[in-house]
Amino acid sequence: MSDGNDIPDTLVEGPGPNELRDPEVRRELKRATVWLGLAALIALAVLLIQPLLIIFGGLVVAALLDGGVRLIHRAVKMPRGLAIALLVFATIGFLGFVGYSTGVQVSDQFAQLRATLMVQWGRLTAFAAEHGMVPDAGNVNDLAQQALGSVGRVTGFIGSAFGAVGTFVMIIVIGVFVAIEPKIYERGLQWMVPQASRREFAVTIERMGKTMRILLAGRLLGMVFEGLFTWIVLWIGGVPMALLLGIIAGVLAFIPNIGAIATGVLMVAVGFSAGTDTGLWALGTYVFVQLFDGWVVLPLVARRTVDLPPALTLSSQILASSLFGILGLALADPMTAMIKVALERESERAQEEAA
């Protein structure tokens, strides 16, 4: 024991948590800060995944605009902002013309398409029930009607809330701003990277941009080919709703694998609703379009950009759609391509250092 004027018999050894001048405390504090910061970044990425996807979608639009500007500069030299303005107004004018000239016809065909699909689904389930493939056709039809009704309610809510339109507008605005002055944003990203890694980062970003431009150019080429060819050939064969099916085929061509499957189901269902000969014509049209796109269009694109195996693309689409919804499904292919480019560049850098 000790009195009030004496030094205590025992003193605690070692620095306390408030003594930040001690080197050991500083090291432990830095380690804790790194781990806490990493956990916070992961949590923010999970919470803000939709805004991050919108930003990535804007980068995809910026890559499209940048590719268009490069094509314009090959023919005519003009300011970058003016070239982007021409591209934007040309796209808006084209979409407005198509909507004005085919709007009423397409809206009528949408209602007709839903009714046709319900009739064809009823025939399919009746055939399956007759041959013992399903327990009861009536129960299956009830489930299908409930599912379609749920989808209709969801899409109606989205349309009334302007959620999809607002997301699309934000993606376009971000893409335009990035495409006007891409070097500003590239310098900002480089500033956030350590100085020793900035050269490697710049090379990787450049390769990603080139890959994105060529990949999206191939996607647009496939969309135009599939949409126009499907519409013309189905119209020649007398398939109902040929224009609507062509538009759907062109839009879904942006999403490999899953988009092609959905297009094929719709074309075959509508074709066979008009008769066996018409159904076979629609089936042959679908097979030819997919074979041409797979054997001609995609190989031409894959020669100059990253070659994504079909199983890898489909797996990424399943994961992205499960985690992030329809927006993740639409952007799964570009995201996978960017990741593969980064991994390939890292492998090349490791080989260069080893050599």
Side-chain angles (χ1 to χ4, degrees), residues 80-355:
R80 186 178 182 86
L82 179 59
I84 292 176
L86 289 176
L87 288 173
V88 172
F89 284 118
T91 303
I92 294 175
F94 174 76
L95 294 178
F97 172 76
V98 173
Y100 176 78
S101 58
T102 63
V104 177
Q105 182 180 359
V106 170
S107 61
D108 294 338
Q109 290 185 3
F110 262 115
Q112 184 182 355
L113 177 62
R114 184 180 184 277
T116 302
L117 292 178
M118 289 300 302
V119 172
Q120 292 297 90
W121 176 259
R123 292 178 180 176
L124 179 62
T125 54
F127 176 82
E130 182 180 354
H131 291 78
M133 299 179 185
V134 295
D136 187 6
N139 294 334
V140 177
N141 287 332
D142 293 339
L143 291 176
Q145 292 177 357
Q146 292 176 6
L148 289 176
S150 300
V151 171
R153 288 192 294 270
V154 171
T155 54
F157 171 77
I158 293 175
S160 61
F162 298 100
V165 176
T167 299
F168 181 75
V169 170
M170 285 188 290
I171 289 175
I172 296 298
V173 171
I174 293 173
V176 170
F177 282 143
V178 174
I180 291 175
E181 291 288 346
K183 295 299 181 182
I184 294 179
Y185 304 96
E186 183 177 348
R187 288 196 298 267
L189 291 175
Q190 290 183 15
W191 178 76
M192 299 174 64
V193 176
Q195 293 184 1
S197 304
R198 287 180 184 176
R199 181 182 179 278
E200 182 64 30
F201 179 79
V203 173
T204 304
I205 290 295
E206 179 64 25
R207 289 194 178 184
M208 284 184 174
K210 182 179 179 180
T211 299
M212 182 77 79
R213 290 192 299 269
I214 301 176
L215 180 67
L216 295 176
R219 289 287 181 266
L220 288 179
L221 179 63
M223 291 172 66
V224 172
F225 166 76
E226 291 194 23
L228 288 177
F229 189 84
T230 300
W231 169 44
I232 294 173
V233 177
L234 292 181
W235 176 71
I236 294 174
V239 179
M241 296 169 280
L243 177 59
L244 177 61
L245 291 175
I247 294 174
I248 293 175
V251 172
L252 293 182
F254 185 80
I255 307 175
N257 301 326
I258 295 179
I261 295 173
T263 302
V265 171
L266 293 177
M267 290 174 56
V268 172
V270 173
F272 278 99
S273 68
T276 304
D277 294 339
T278 308
L280 293 176
W281 181 274
L283 179 61
T285 302
Y286 169 74
V287 172
F288 177 80
V289 168
Q290 296 304 316
L291 289 178
F292 185 87
D293 187 57
W295 289 355
V296 178
V297 178
L298 290 182
L300 289 176
V301 177
R303 289 176 186 174
R304 300 186 60 186
T305 185
V306 58
D307 189 9
L308 297 176
L312 176 61
T313 304
L314 183 59
S315 300
S316 65
Q317 290 172 348
I318 294 173
L319 291 175
S321 60
S322 300
L323 294 174
F324 313 133
I326 186 65
L327 189 58
L329 175 62
L331 299 176
D333 199 25
M335 285 190 292
T336 305
M338 296 302 97
I339 293 174
K340 187 175 181 182
V341 170
L343 294 177
E344 288 177 347
R345 179 55 192 167
E346 180 64 21
S347 177
E348 292 178 5
R349 186 188 64 80
Q351 293 178 358
E352 290 174 358
E353 292 181 353

